[in-house]
């Protein structure tokens, strides 16, 4: 699209730019209207638009609004007798490039083809990222702690060992359990999950082990329990810390013999399941209090994966915020462009007691409610920067500043480390060391 108020130039350019299909807008308002209804890849924008033909204020404003409405569009600004400084300013504000008036159409075509190429590459890149992020294992991370956990997932997943997942609420224990199943040789077999805390104690046994007809009042037919349903696959026992003592004994017996009896039954049934358990309680404490069997603890705990709290994952919060923004834009057919600096700062400072789940729900609500193109700290219901610099410890302040800049750079580059390092003007190893600092 060409945004140009001069009718003669409009005509001339349309002709000069063939075979590109060119649409024309004569003003900021018309340009934005057209962008809302179409999918332009490149916009050529005259900076000297009325009412400021001799300045660049209307042009720069148009640029800003175009990029807000459609951040992917490559805008090439054309500046005539306006100062060169305005063209530079436009590029600093996100324009792809600038070209001097009178326009040499051959040069312009070159710049356009470069812009198109860039736009294609970016699109490919997002598609690839969408395939990998949230694709295979559904885990989004960049922090060293989570990278280590992902490595553990790859190593431990394929082995038939029992895994105990611990971590605060919302740290991703469910996601991890599913991911462990997905990378195992059992992935084509069932994954059965049951939450031990949500089922009344007297029903849990039959829920897990099944029952025979007539085993108790209301047992009108033989029913398979979760263990049998998960045969050949994975059984995920969530909130294992809430399992009553008698059932713990029965579970232990199963883990030793790999056989079970349905409630009210005599037949001993062989079941082949891989057991994954999870809890946000401290099992050692429950053991000390006599509420959890120590021998069972060792059985379910061939491998322990302790998921770190979100506040311990450095820049992951900003990365996840971006990921959830994309997710909910898509799911809710919204077009929120991103986060304000204030929001990014607030996200990296917040302590996230509800961890990833809290972040997900705050971003979701903000996407639903957002009135502007960018989500603010207020949309997230988080405190905007308060009392910065009240603490005069310089090292600490510098560290905080570094953290914020790193988080923002990662958000701007969709988590691309090389691009983020470039943006920050530092080396990749330096960036890695900043991400890793505690
Ligand atoms: N690393 C991650 N990448 C992407 N999404 C994540 C990640 N970790 C967690 N989530 C998402 O966050 C939400 C909470 O995760 P999950 O239910 O796995 O937490 P949990 O540890 O099981 O919590 P609880 O102890 O309350 O059961 C889910 O919607 C999940 O998809
Ligand atoms: Mg859970």
């Amino acid at each position: 699209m060409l945004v140009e108020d001069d009718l003669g130039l409009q005509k001339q350019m349309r002709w000069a730019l063939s075979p590109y299909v060119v649409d024309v807008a004569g003003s900021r308002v018309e340009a934005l209207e057209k962008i809302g209804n179409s999918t332009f890849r490149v916009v050529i924008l005259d900076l000297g638009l009325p009412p400021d033909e001799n300045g660049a204020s209307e042009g720069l404003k148009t640029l800003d609004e175009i990029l807000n409405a459609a951040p992917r569009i490559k805008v090439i600004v054309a500046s005539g007798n306006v100062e060169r400084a305005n063209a530079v300013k436009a590029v600093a504000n996100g324009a792809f490039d600038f070209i001097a008036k009178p326009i040499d159409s051959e040069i312009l075509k070159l710049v356009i083809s470069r812009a198109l190429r860039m736009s294609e590459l970016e699109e490919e890149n997002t598609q690839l990222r969408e395939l990998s992020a949230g694709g295979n294992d559904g885990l989004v991370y960049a922090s060293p702690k989570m990278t280590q956990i992902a490595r553990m997932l790859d190593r431990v997943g394929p082995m038939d060992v029992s895994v105990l997942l611990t971590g605060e609420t919302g740290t991703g224990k469910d996601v991890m359990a599913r991911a462990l199943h997905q990378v195992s040789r059992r992935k084509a077999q069932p994954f059965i999950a049951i939450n031990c805390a949500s089922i009344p104690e007297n029903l849990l046994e039959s829920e897990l082990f099944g029952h025979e007809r007539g085993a108790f009042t209301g047992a009108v037919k033989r029913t398979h329990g979760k263990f049998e349903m998960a045969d050949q696959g994975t059984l995920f026992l969530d909130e294992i810390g809430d399992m009553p003592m008698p059932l713990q004994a029965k579970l232990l017996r199963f883990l030793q013999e790999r056989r079970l009896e349905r409630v009210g039954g005599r037949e001993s049934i062989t079941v082949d399941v891989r057991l994954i358990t999870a809890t946000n309680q401290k099992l050692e404490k429950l053991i000390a209090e006599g509420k959890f069997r120590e021998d069972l603890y060792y059985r379910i705990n061939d491998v322990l994966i302790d998921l770190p709290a979100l506040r311990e994952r450095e820049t992951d919060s900003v990365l996840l915020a971006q990921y959830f923004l994309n997710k909910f834009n898509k799911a809710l057919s919204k077009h929120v462009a991103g986060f304000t600096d204030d929001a990014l700062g607030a996200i990296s400072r917040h302590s996230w007691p509800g961890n990833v789940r809290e972040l997900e729900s705050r971003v979701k609500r903000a996407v639903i409610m957002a009135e502007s193109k960018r989500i603010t700290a207020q949309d997230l219901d988080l405190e905007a920067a308060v009392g910065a610099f009240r603490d005069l410890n310089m090292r600490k302040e510098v560290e905080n500043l570094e953290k914020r800049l790193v988080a923002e750079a990662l958000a701007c580059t969709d988590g691309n480390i090389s691009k983020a390092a470039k943006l920050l003007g530092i080396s990749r190893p330096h960036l890695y060391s900043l991400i890793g600092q505690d």
Side-chain angles (χ1 to χ4, degrees), residues 169-170 172-175 195 236 238-239 278 280 357:
T169 179
K173 297 184 292 295
D174 275 72
V175 194
N195 187 326
F236 175 40
D238 204 354
E239 315 254 12
N280 48 33
R357 183 177 300 113

Side-chain angles (χ1 to χ4, degrees), residues 77-378:
V77 298
S79 60
N81 33 19
V82 250
E83 291 173 70
R84 198 185 138 86
N86 284 326
V88 174
K89 195 167 169 197
V91 172
N93 287 355
F96 175 73
D97 206 343
F98 68 88
I99 184 159
K101 274 179 157 182
I103 291 172
D104 177 330
S105 62
E106 287 313 305
I107 294 183
L108 179 56
K109 276 187 181 171
L110 258 166
V111 180
I112 291 175
S113 77
R114 208 159 50 79
L116 283 172
R117 179 79 192 117
M118 177 70 101
S119 153
E120 268 167 28
L121 284 174
E122 280 179 4
E123 193 158 313
E124 262 171 46
N125 189 30
T126 354
Q127 279 168 2
L128 285 175
R129 290 189 61 82
E130 273 165 10
L131 277 181
S132 53
N136 278 341
D137 51 16
L139 294 173
V140 177
Y141 58 87
S143 61
K145 277 189 178 149
M146 282 306 286
T147 307
Q148 218 171 352
I149 290 208
R151 259 189 228 134
M152 213 150 146
L153 166 72
D154 290 335
R155 266 203 324 268
V156 170
M159 301 196 283
D160 241 6
V161 295
S162 300
V163 178
L164 171 63
L165 299 166
T166 56
E168 291 178 14
T169 179
T171 46
K173 297 184 292 295
D174 275 72
V175 194
M176 195 66 187
R178 277 165 222 279
L180 283 164
H181 177 68
Q182 279 311 316
V183 297
S184 78
R185 62 170 175 85
R186 298 170 179 264
K187 72 164 183 246
Q189 306 297 329
F191 174 88
I192 305 286
I194 178 168
N195 187 326
C196 302
S198 69
I199 294 169
E201 194 171 328
N202 56 337
L203 295 183
L204 188 58
E205 181 178 8
S206 116
E207 198 59 40
L208 283 173
F209 297 97
H211 61 255
E212 295 293 342
R213 182 175 164 202
F216 46 84
T217 349
V220 288
K221 61 176 202 288
R222 165 190 286 176
T223 304
H224 288 176
K226 300 288 185 192
F227 272 94
E228 281 180 83
M229 291 180 198
D231 194 18
Q232 306 299 316
T234 304
L235 179 67
F236 175 40
L237 294 180
D238 204 354
E239 315 254 12
I240 185 81
D242 288 313
M243 186 177 265
M245 277 304 229
L247 262 187
Q248 288 183 28
K250 188 158 177 176
L251 175 59
L252 180 65
R253 207 166 336 115
F254 170 80
L255 289 174
Q256 287 163 344
E257 296 164 12
R258 296 285 161 177
R259 305 171 72 79
L260 60 83
E261 279 149 35
R262 298 189 191 108
V263 178
R266 296 227 179 84
E267 188 194 350
S268 171
I269 304 154
T270 308
V271 176
D272 170 24
V273 295
R274 193 259 185 101
L275 187 72
I276 300 179
T277 50
T279 180
N280 48 33
Q281 306 191 61
K282 296 265 167 270
L283 289 183
E284 290 90 341
K285 188 164 161 263
L286 294 183
I287 292 169
E289 290 167 358
K291 292 180 187 147
F292 201 85
R293 295 181 67 119
E294 190 167 13
D295 43 9
L296 178 60
Y297 177 71
Y298 290 112
R299 279 279 170 176
I300 59 175
N301 185 7
D302 289 335
V303 176
L304 173 77
I305 300 185
D306 184 33
L307 291 164
L310 182 56
R311 63 185 160 281
E312 291 163 15
R313 298 185 202 175
E314 300 298 330
T315 49
D316 280 10
S317 53
V318 169
L319 201 64
L320 278 159
Q322 197 74 37
Y323 166 76
F324 288 131
L325 175 67
N326 293 342
K327 175 174 154 183
F328 292 121
N329 261 339
K330 216 174 268 170
L332 305 167
S333 305
K334 300 275 269 183
H335 302 281
V336 180
F339 297 90
T340 62
D341 289 354
D342 220 31
L344 290 175
I347 289 169
S348 23
R349 274 190 311 271
H350 186 57
S351 65
W352 300 112
N355 295 294
V356 186
R357 183 177 300 113
E358 179 188 355
L359 177 62
E360 181 173 17
S361 76
R362 279 186 197 264
V363 172
K364 181 175 184 183
R365 200 183 42 198
V367 169
I368 293 171
M369 305 296 281
E371 287 180 10
S372 64
K373 282 287 162 194
R374 290 188 184 277
I375 289 176
T376 63
Q378 201 181 3

